[in-house]
Amino acid sequence: MEHLNQLFIEAGTLMLAGMVFVFAFLGLTIVFINVVLKRLAIKFPDAVIQTRSTRSNQKTKQNVDGISPNVVAAITSAVTQYRKQHNNPSSTDKTK
């Protein structure tokens, strides 16, 4: 039994050492990448893209969306009526 305890202690120590090594390696990798990116950003800056501001009004919004609210209301109403008619069992759909 003493031999088994010694093996568990050794396995735990190896696991802890491995986890510390991986954590340190990943931490150093992140630091290294950030340092390299900062140096490259100084030499190769990103281009600044200028955008034009657009006025937003109701007509522009309707044209962007493509469908007016009146059309959406008409389609919704039609779908609702269709579902009411076809979900209720009618007297003509008798199964023998």
Side-chain angles (χ1 to χ4, degrees):
M1 194 66 167
E2 182 66 32
H3 182 64
L4 191 60
N5 287 338
Q6 185 66 25
L7 286 176
F8 277 126
I9 291 172
E10 187 177 344
T13 305
L14 285 173
M15 181 183 70
L16 185 64
M19 291 174 73
V20 168
F21 176 76
V22 168
F23 181 77
F25 177 77
L26 291 175
L28 288 174
T29 303
I30 290 171
V31 169
F32 175 74
I33 288 173
N34 284 333
V35 168
V36 169
L37 286 178
K38 283 183 182 179
R39 289 185 181 175
L40 285 175
I42 293 171
K43 290 182 181 179
F44 305 104
D46 290 338
V48 177
I49 299 173
Q50 296 179 355
T51 59
R52 295 185 302 173
S53 62
T54 59
R55 295 186 312 170
S56 64
N57 56 20
Q58 188 64 19
K59 287 185 178 181
T60 305
K61 187 168 182 142
Q62 264 187 351
N63 292 339
V64 171
D65 292 343
I67 302 173
S68 69
N70 293 334
V71 173
V72 173
I75 292 173
T76 304
S77 175
V79 169
T80 304
Q81 288 178 3
Y82 177 83
R83 286 182 180 168
K84 283 182 182 177
Q85 289 175 357
H86 291 290
N87 285 339
N88 295 334
S90 62
S91 60
T92 58
D93 294 336
K94 293 182 181 175
T95 57
K96 295 181 180 179

